Amino acid sequence: MSSCRSNAPPIRPVDIISALGSSRITFSVLIGCALVHGANWLTNGGDPQRTNWQRDETTLSKDNVGNLQILWKANLDNVPRQMHSLFPPLIVDGVQTSAGVKQIALVAGVSDNLYAIDAATGTTVWKKHFEYPPPARNGGATDPLCPGGQTATPVIGPANASGARTVYALAGNGELHSLNLADGEEAAPPIPFGYPNGKAYALNLSDDVIFTSTSQGCAGNPNQMWAINLRDPNKKVMVFNPKSGGLWGREGVAIDSSGVAWAPTGDGVYDLANQRYGNGLIGAKVVGNELQLKDWYEPTNWAWMQKRDLDMQVTPAIFNYKGRELMVTGSKECRVYLLDTKSAGGANHQTPLVRTPLLCNEETNFASAGIWGSMATWEDSKGTRWVLTPFWGPVHPDFKAAVSYGPVRHGAVVAFKVEEKNGKLQLTPAWMSRDMDQAEPPAIANGVVYAYGSGENTAQAYPDRGLNDSSPLRIKASGHAVLYALDAETGKELYSSGDQITSFVHFGGLTVANGHVYLGTYDSTLYCFGLAGK
């Protein structure tokens, strides 16, 4: 455990800059802080089930979260590519480094960079840059869909007998690296795992098998689920291709208790005779040395959704409820689906446990409305199971929650209670948050929901350009992100960062651990919010 000592001299930016020598990394708003031992965040979404629930938070609470402030911000030398920059940090406490035991925030940057940041001060412990000859890439010079580089959030493996951990990171050339978390050194030779510049999504790890998914056909990369068994001496790359437009759930795949990895399949058609599973959700599992399809779900209106580009592209969240393992996912159409992992769509693969009415997207906007990214779920002290979803754009005029906080024009977070009535499960809308500028997937910790409006301009169609999307146009038209803390049971706003964050976020995400809330922005700044002296 790291802590501030009352007799220690104050940390000054000049001291840090001197210690860093020629590093291009600069830091500001540096505050020494005590760190509570215990809470880790080892993968995007916090766990293999992608619940975005930090179960071990004890420092931040409803009573004190209103006092959040920026403890530090690290201005990293990662160069953005198209709209992409930093990915959600991973947190490990008690890491034995050459400079002592530290809590590490591991941050991936799209330009093939990894940064291990000291969570107490915001200084860099080590940096790794993946070098390789520039591969061919797909897409136009300003196309936001195919940025190239490292696009998958890494994953951190379990501690070995000595307490050391391995970081698994997928470089932009498709090689899977194994690094020592303590110093960034390669722990094993890189393994070929994907296509160069292939746009892989967040890595997930279960039973020594690493999963990812790919989309948009970047650099000719197939849109499919990928897996590799780290115990396999041959390191065979296993894939399942649903023949769809892309598996682009923000957090990659979610893994259930039986080892089935679930991912949305994006645009495409559902044609069972030809094994095409577009616009749905697939579940695949490693069996022997093959990745085999185990189950799938297809909305009954998939064809209508496909024609309007309202695809399923939301990483599900998996949880237990009264002895059953369930999952929730969503779509750009702006519905939430509750499914059973043992039979995702029933006998016909098209019957969910619950399909909500439209939450938003009355105008069927394919780019700036609907549910995007991932879900979240948690259970309170009374045993109530909650499900949360973000959405973009105005709320649907027919959707009502028991509690709401004014008009919603740009996006919001909605909380549902999972309930059983008359033998049937239902999702009961409990609250809808205040208006947020493009609301993004939330995280939950100790009775507090952390959410943010990305401030991103999400337009993808133009009167004079049609569908010729442009990163420079969108970057110029984007604003800045705003972090919010909400009462998890009522949705009441407890904190807002206002104008403190100065850039927007594209396909990033929140991390919460040990009294800190982290968010990386387009200008390659990692923000750390917390309580003074904590």
Side-chain angles (χ1 to χ4, degrees):
M1 177 168 65
S2 302
S3 62
C4 302
R5 297 179 180 178
S6 59
N7 61 346
I11 299 173
R12 301 177 301 161
V14 66
D15 297 327
I16 294 168
I17 294 172
S18 176
L20 289 172
S22 61
S23 173
R24 294 173 55 203
I25 301 171
T26 61
F27 299 90
S28 57
V29 199
L30 297 171
I31 300 175
C33 48
L35 300 177
V36 179
H37 183 80
N40 293 327
W41 193 273
L42 305 177
T43 186
N44 205 326
D47 50 40
Q49 298 77 34
R50 305 308 201 202
T51 64
N52 283 285
W53 179 19
Q54 174 56 269
R55 293 166 175 80
D56 299 319
E57 178 59 39
T58 58
T59 301
L60 296 175
S61 68
K62 297 179 186 180
D63 296 331
N64 62 24
V65 75
N67 297 318
L68 277 180
Q69 63 183 61
I70 297 176
L71 298 181
W72 51 260
K73 54 184 180 182
N75 305 115
L76 305 173
D77 62 355
N78 177 74
V79 178
R81 300 177 68 140
Q82 305 299 347
M83 305 286 290
H84 295 72
S85 185
L86 300 181
F87 298 95
L90 307 178
I91 309 298
V92 183
D93 198 14
V95 180
Q96 182 65 60
T97 73
S98 60
V101 178
K102 295 182 179 295
Q103 184 179 150
I104 296 295
L106 182 79
V107 188
V110 69
S111 290
D112 286 289
N113 297 311
L114 280 181
Y115 304 89
I117 308 295
D118 184 338
T121 63
T123 57
T124 298
V125 178
W126 56 261
K127 174 190 171 182
K128 177 75 173 183
H129 177 69
F130 299 121
E131 294 279 0
Y132 51 85
R137 55 165 302 176
N138 188 43
T142 64
D143 178 14
L145 295 181
C146 296
Q150 178 183 217
T151 55
T153 306
V155 65
I156 298 176
N160 65 17
S162 65
R165 291 181 183 269
T166 300
V167 176
Y168 299 100
L170 186 60
N173 66 346
E175 290 188 335
L176 182 67
H177 290 257
S178 303
L179 309 175
N180 188 325
L181 177 61
D183 56 18
E185 295 299 318
E186 299 273 0
I191 305 167
F193 186 39
Y195 276 45
N197 283 344
K199 199 179 185 182
Y201 286 81
L203 302 183
N204 206 343
L205 173 64
S206 177
D207 194 27
D208 287 330
V209 177
I210 290 181
F211 292 89
T212 188
S213 59
T214 50
S215 72
Q216 272 92 41
C218 295
N221 190 8
N223 300 321
Q224 58 194 15
M225 188 185 297
W226 307 65
I228 189 166
N229 189 336
L230 298 173
R231 296 192 301 265
D232 176 11
N234 298 317
K235 300 297 186 291
K236 178 185 177 182
V237 177
M238 300 167 282
V239 300
F240 179 79
N241 191 326
K243 303 175 185 176
S244 68
L247 289 73
W248 57 289
R250 183 85 56 84
E251 295 179 352
V253 310
I255 305 173
D256 69 23
S257 61
S258 65
V260 175
W262 295 89
T265 57
D267 277 327
V269 302
Y270 178 42
D271 180 0
L272 188 56
N274 292 296
Q275 298 180 318
R276 302 180 69 181
Y277 303 92
N279 248 299
L281 184 77
I282 59 167
K285 182 178 181 178
V286 171
V287 179
N289 62 354
E290 301 292 337
L291 185 58
Q292 298 180 2
L293 181 69
K294 289 297 180 181
D295 200 0
W296 67 92
Y297 166 69
E298 290 282 345
T300 53
N301 64 336
W302 68 265
W304 183 88
M305 294 168 64
Q306 193 268 341
K307 290 178 181 179
R308 290 159 179 81
D309 192 12
L310 301 177
D311 42 309
M312 304 275 284
Q313 41 70 52
V314 178
T315 299
I318 299 172
F319 59 92
N320 293 319
Y321 180 77
K322 295 185 177 181
R324 301 174 68 176
E325 188 174 56
L326 307 177
M327 60 183 168
V328 286
T329 189
S331 64
K332 284 197 288 183
E333 186 189 16
C334 210
R335 299 184 191 273
V336 175
Y337 308 86
L338 180 67
L339 310 167
D340 192 319
T341 61
K342 298 297 184 290
S343 181
N348 67 351
H349 297 278
Q350 294 191 282
T351 307
L353 297 172
V354 176
R355 173 181 179 264
T356 69
L358 292 172
L359 279 63
C360 66
N361 210 0
E362 181 184 21
E363 298 181 354
T364 62
N365 185 321
F366 76 96
S368 297
I371 300 171
W372 292 67
S374 60
M375 312 289 286
T377 181
W378 70 292
E379 186 175 278
D380 65 26
S381 59
K382 298 183 291 292
T384 302
R385 170 59 63 171
W386 297 76
V387 164
L388 297 103
T389 184
F391 70 78
W392 292 356
V395 65
H396 194 284
D398 294 335
F399 178 76
K400 308 295 179 185
V403 179
S404 59
Y405 296 90
V408 171
R409 299 185 177 91
H410 305 97
V413 172
V414 174
F416 297 89
K417 292 182 180 180
V418 181
E419 297 179 328
E420 188 171 8
K421 293 186 177 180
N422 300 321
K424 292 186 177 181
L425 292 172
Q426 65 180 45
L427 294 173
T428 305
W431 55 259
M432 182 169 60
S433 75
R434 57 155 294 160
D435 188 50
M436 299 180 186
D437 186 3
Q438 305 302 96
E440 291 288 288
I444 309 99
N446 199 23
V448 180
V449 168
Y450 299 91
Y452 69 102
S454 71
E456 175 191 354
N457 181 289
T458 59
Q460 296 181 35
Y462 309 84
D464 59 336
R465 297 169 60 93
L467 296 176
N468 184 14
D469 201 1
S470 167
S471 292
L473 288 178
R474 289 175 57 180
I475 291 166
K476 183 178 180 180
S478 293
H480 66 86
V482 179
L483 172 68
Y484 300 95
L486 313 172
D487 186 313
E489 294 184 294
T490 67
K492 179 183 177 181
E493 181 182 322
L494 304 175
Y495 171 81
S496 167
S497 65
D499 295 330
Q500 295 183 82
I501 301 172
T502 58
S503 185
F504 67 92
V505 179
H506 174 77
F507 280 27
L510 290 169
T511 302
V512 184
N514 304 316
H516 290 174
V517 183
Y518 302 88
L519 181 64
T521 51
Y522 169 77
D523 62 357
S524 293
T525 300
L526 178 65
Y527 288 81
C528 174
F529 291 81
L531 305 176
K534 297 289 187 180

